Amino acid sequence: MSQPPSTDVEATDRRILELLAVDGRMSFTHLGRSTGLSTSAVHQRVKRLEARGLIKGYGATVDHDQLGLPLTAFISIRPIDPSQPDDSPERLRDIPEIESCWSVAGDESYILKIRVAAPTDLEDLLARIRSAANVATRTTIVLSTPYENRPVV
């Protein structure tokens, strides 16, 4: 019986994933030094990890405060009329303040992570979300973020 891909990762590949999770721009040379592999061997392994879907992409960690978006909140949504189609993610897809959308179990259907400049912007965003998706909302404002997006490999 085969295991899911996330548990079927050899130790060297797991180490490469750990290193890239901390620094996605790490060179193949540095990865090789850190794992005891040649640069070409590391390159082949990274390409294989990408092909298998274990590496989904690379990105920058952005300072949202410096971008003028210091207010982070989580908005839980649930349909006002549960008999309607479950299409909230599609209805909300083009709202740029929504950073993430998770389907969840419980009283709510989805949790949205949003970033805005000020409480008045949050108030406006809530009205737009309610109108676009015909949902009720419950909002939790983030006071501080001791850590975020920690590597989990």
Side-chain angles (χ1 to χ4, degrees), residues 20-72:
L20 288 174
V22 172
D23 180 5
R25 295 181 60 178
M26 186 177 287
S27 71
F28 292 129
T29 303
H30 191 225
L31 284 168
R33 285 188 197 125
S34 300
T35 58
L37 298 172
S38 69
T39 302
S40 63
V42 167
H43 183 261
Q44 289 174 355
R45 281 179 181 255
V46 169
K47 292 301 175 197
R48 202 167 44 239
L49 290 168
E50 290 170 348
R52 289 176 57 196
L54 283 143
I55 297 175
K56 292 185 173 195
Y58 301 88
T61 303
V62 175
D63 185 331
H64 291 91
D65 290 350
Q66 290 190 44
L67 282 177
L69 300 170
L71 196 155
T72 302

Side-chain angles (χ1 to χ4, degrees), residues 65-131:
D65 290 350
Q66 290 190 44
L67 282 177
L69 300 170
L71 196 155
T72 302
F74 292 96
I75 302 171
S76 300
I77 64 172
R78 61 181 167 73
I80 291 175
D81 182 356
S83 69
Q84 293 300 309
D86 183 11
D87 60 354
S88 293
E90 292 77 25
R91 289 175 175 232
L92 301 173
R93 185 174 309 282
D94 294 329
I95 298 177
E97 295 91 342
I98 300 174
E99 183 178 295
S100 302
C101 175
W102 296 284
S103 175
V104 296
D107 292 335
E108 285 88 12
S109 300
Y110 297 93
I111 296 178
L112 312 173
K113 179 180 179 184
I114 64 92
R115 295 190 192 265
V116 293
T120 54
D121 298 320
L122 176 58
E123 187 174 29
D124 173 64
L125 177 61
L126 288 168
R128 289 178 13 227
I129 288 170
R130 290 177 187 132
S131 173

